[in-house]
Structures are given as C-alpha cells and as structure tokens.
Amino acid sequence: MDSSLSEKLKSLAQKYEVASFCDSDPSQFLRRYSAQEEAEAASFFTAMLSFGSRSIFIPKLRAAFDLADKNGGFYSYIKNRHFTADFPSSGENSKKKFYRFYSYADIALFFEEMAEVFDKCGSLGSAVHSRLQNQFSSQDHSSEGGVSVSQCEEESGAVAFNDAKDPSAAGGESFSENTAFDALHACHAIQELFPKSKIVSKGKTSPHKRIFMFLRWMSRASSPVDLGLWPWLSPSTLVIPLDTHVIAQSQKLGLIPEKSPCSIKTALLLTDKLKEVWPEDPVKGDFALFGLGVNEDEK
C-alpha cells in the first residue's frame, strides 16, 4: 500500500472514531447498561439486528430495550424469561414480523438461547471465553462436530472454522490466564452457543458482519466507541465487519478487487490490507471506510 493511501486511511479513521459517531449508529446502545454482563448481552442483541435501514432497526432496538427496562433491565428480562410476554414463541402473534424477515418467534428463540447461556455460564463473555479455553486445550484443533451449550464448563472438541488459525498463534504455545484468543475462533464459539437461532449467521461463505462488529465492540479498548470488555480477545486478530459501505469504498480505493463478493474471504483479504496500516488493530480501518461511505451517501 502506498504511503498516500495509508495516510488517508489514518486521517479518516481519526475523523470518524469519535464519540459523536455513536449518535446515529447502533453503537449508541453499547453504554445503555453499566453492568458488564448486561452490556455484553445488549450489545450482542444490538449487533444481531443491525442491518438494513438504521432509521428502522434503531427504533426497533430502542423499543425492545424499553420493554426490558420495565422488567428490571435487559439481563433480568432475558434470564428470568420476562421476554415471553412480549415475544411469544407460538400462536398467531409469534408469526408477526418484528424486523424484516425475523418474526417474534425468531426473537423469542434467540432470547431463549441467550437465557440458557446465562443459566449455565452466567454471562455471554464467560461462555465464549470458556469455549475458547476448551478449543485451545483440545488435542485436535481440527475435529468436526457441534458442541451444545450444556458443555460450557466441560472439555469439548474444537470445530474448524474456514481459515481460522490455531488460537495459540495469538497467545503463545501454552495456555495461561493471559492467553489472547483470536476472533475467528470467537466467532465460531458464538455460533455454537446459538445453534438454532436464525439471527446468528452460520453460513460458510458469510462475512459474519454482525458477529465481527460485536467482537470489535468487545475487544477494542481505549476507544470512544468500542467497549473493550474482553481483554482476552486480541484486537490484532479482529476481522473487519463487511457491509455495502465498506466494500464500495474498499473497491474505490483499490484495497480489494472490483466485484469482490460479500464473503468471509473478502473480509479476510481486506483485513490483511488494513494490517499494513494498523498491524495490531486492523479494524480501526472500519471507521475510515464505513464513515467515508455513510458520509458520501448523505451528500
């Protein structure tokens, strides 16, 4: 990458990674709750519904959080199954669409799987971390097969995820409490925790944009936008959340080939290019590319 493009990306990232970025972005909900387990859960729900028109899904998210707050907050709303009164899993109302192609029943199933995570592991962060520990400790990092949420605190076989590298690449050759895990394995751990939910992407070629956006929020510290609640997830391994804005700007800037598909391979290719600018924090480029795309749309 030539120096002029590198400097342009740095300048754009500095311009857009500011607190005001959250004003019209779904990240406005990240600090709605102060307790970590609640912030994790609310951020994950926010990420899973963050697609399409922000003018539509942001009010939907706000309405759901308002319902939760009437029942003691989002964590209590999920863990104590208060959501069943508002999001029925059966009956005529369950078939109604909550947002786009997701029905009230789809939201109910997602919340139920999250509640099961809370029941068995206490929090989403604890569940993901436990799975990564189990993957790291496994003798066979390439074994196939799913793992149920009931195995949260038990040894489990790891599951290969596309081109994911061994977690030890980020944290050294032996496991310790300070091991830094990688985002590709974290993505797959999340998919395992929500095996039935349509809301959590699982396609082999999908860029998993919403999961990687959530992982950006959880991993990056010292940011006016991201929360940095998971110090055990290495920012250097994050994958850029790929959407239409990011793809369009990346193609214009020559970071990826024209007509690149919206796929995990494109996301990994673009992330590698951004590592040339930010080796330890490649998704800082997300602010540059997404911010530039949204700014152009608003002109």
Side-chain angles (χ1 to χ4, degrees):
M1 184 184 303
D2 63 63
S3 60
S4 62
L5 178 54
S6 177
E7 290 304 313
K8 179 176 182 178
L9 290 171
K10 289 179 181 178
S11 177
L12 287 168
Q14 184 176 11
K15 175 181 179 181
Y16 291 113
E17 191 180 7
V18 293
S20 60
F21 178 89
C22 301
D23 293 347
S24 59
D25 188 75
S27 54
Q28 65 187 262
F29 296 111
L30 301 191
R31 292 169 174 81
R32 184 178 178 113
Y33 305 101
S34 57
Q36 178 164 332
E37 66 273 13
E38 196 157 31
E40 291 171 352
S43 296
F44 189 53
F45 178 50
T46 296
M48 292 305 99
L49 254 64
S50 293
F51 67 98
S53 172
R54 288 189 290 182
S55 65
I56 298 177
F57 72 72
I58 286 178
K60 288 287 186 179
L61 285 163
R62 185 175 294 112
F65 289 132
D66 287 345
L67 288 172
D69 290 347
K70 293 177 181 178
N71 290 274
F74 192 70
Y75 185 85
S76 175
Y77 185 65
I78 302 301
K79 182 172 176 56
N80 296 318
R81 273 73 171 182
H82 294 311
F83 65 83
T84 57
D86 303 310
F87 297 93
S89 59
S90 60
E92 193 63 30
N93 288 336
S94 70
K95 300 175 184 178
K96 295 180 180 179
K97 299 302 180 184
F98 178 72
Y99 176 59
R100 297 283 291 270
F101 34 80
Y102 295 143
S103 68
Y104 278 76
D106 292 330
I107 302 296
L109 177 57
F110 173 77
F111 284 165
E112 178 56 35
E113 289 192 315
M114 186 180 288
E116 291 174 4
V117 169
F118 294 166
D119 291 342
K120 294 176 171 62
C121 303
S123 70
L124 182 57
S126 294
V128 174
H129 190 234
S130 177
R131 285 186 177 278
L132 292 174
Q133 288 176 320
N134 290 338
Q135 286 183 12
F136 186 94
S137 301
S138 173
Q139 292 295 318
D140 181 7
H141 287 290
S142 61
S143 63
E144 297 291 339
V147 186
S148 69
V149 70
S150 63
Q151 294 172 285
C152 179
E153 299 300 337
E154 301 172 7
E155 187 65 21
S156 64
V159 184
F161 176 70
N162 296 313
D163 299 321
K165 298 178 181 178
D166 191 303
S168 62
E173 296 182 355
S174 60
F175 174 78
S176 74
E177 288 302 314
N178 295 321
T179 297
F181 295 106
D182 74 86
L184 285 170
H185 280 80
C187 176
H188 199 192
I190 287 171
Q191 292 169 330
E192 289 181 327
L193 291 168
F194 295 84
K196 298 177 182 178
S197 177
K198 299 177 183 178
I199 297 175
V200 180
S201 65
K202 301 177 184 71
K204 289 184 177 180
T205 62
S206 169
H208 306 299
K209 176 253 183 178
R210 288 172 279 167
I211 295 179
F212 287 128
M213 180 171 67
F214 169 69
L215 294 178
R216 194 200 84 198
W217 291 344
M218 294 298 102
S219 175
R220 297 180 73 248
S222 303
S223 169
V225 178
D226 302 330
L227 292 177
L229 298 178
W230 294 356
W232 39 264
L233 182 61
S234 174
S236 67
T237 70
L238 292 173
V239 178
I240 191 162
L242 201 64
D243 68 1
T244 54
H245 292 296
V246 171
I247 285 182
Q249 295 307 317
S250 298
Q251 291 172 338
K252 288 180 181 179
L253 295 172
L255 294 170
I256 56 175
E258 291 185 13
K259 298 182 180 180
S260 293
C262 189
S263 67
I264 184 62
K265 287 187 176 180
T266 299
L268 293 171
L269 174 64
L270 178 56
T271 300
D272 283 343
K273 292 295 293 184
L274 294 173
K275 284 183 179 180
E276 296 179 25
V277 184
W278 299 281
E280 301 303 316
D281 188 20
V283 299
K284 193 175 184 69
D286 188 23
F287 291 98
L289 297 168
F290 181 81
L292 182 61
V294 171
N295 185 59
E296 286 195 358
D297 280 356
E298 291 175 348
K299 289 181 178 177

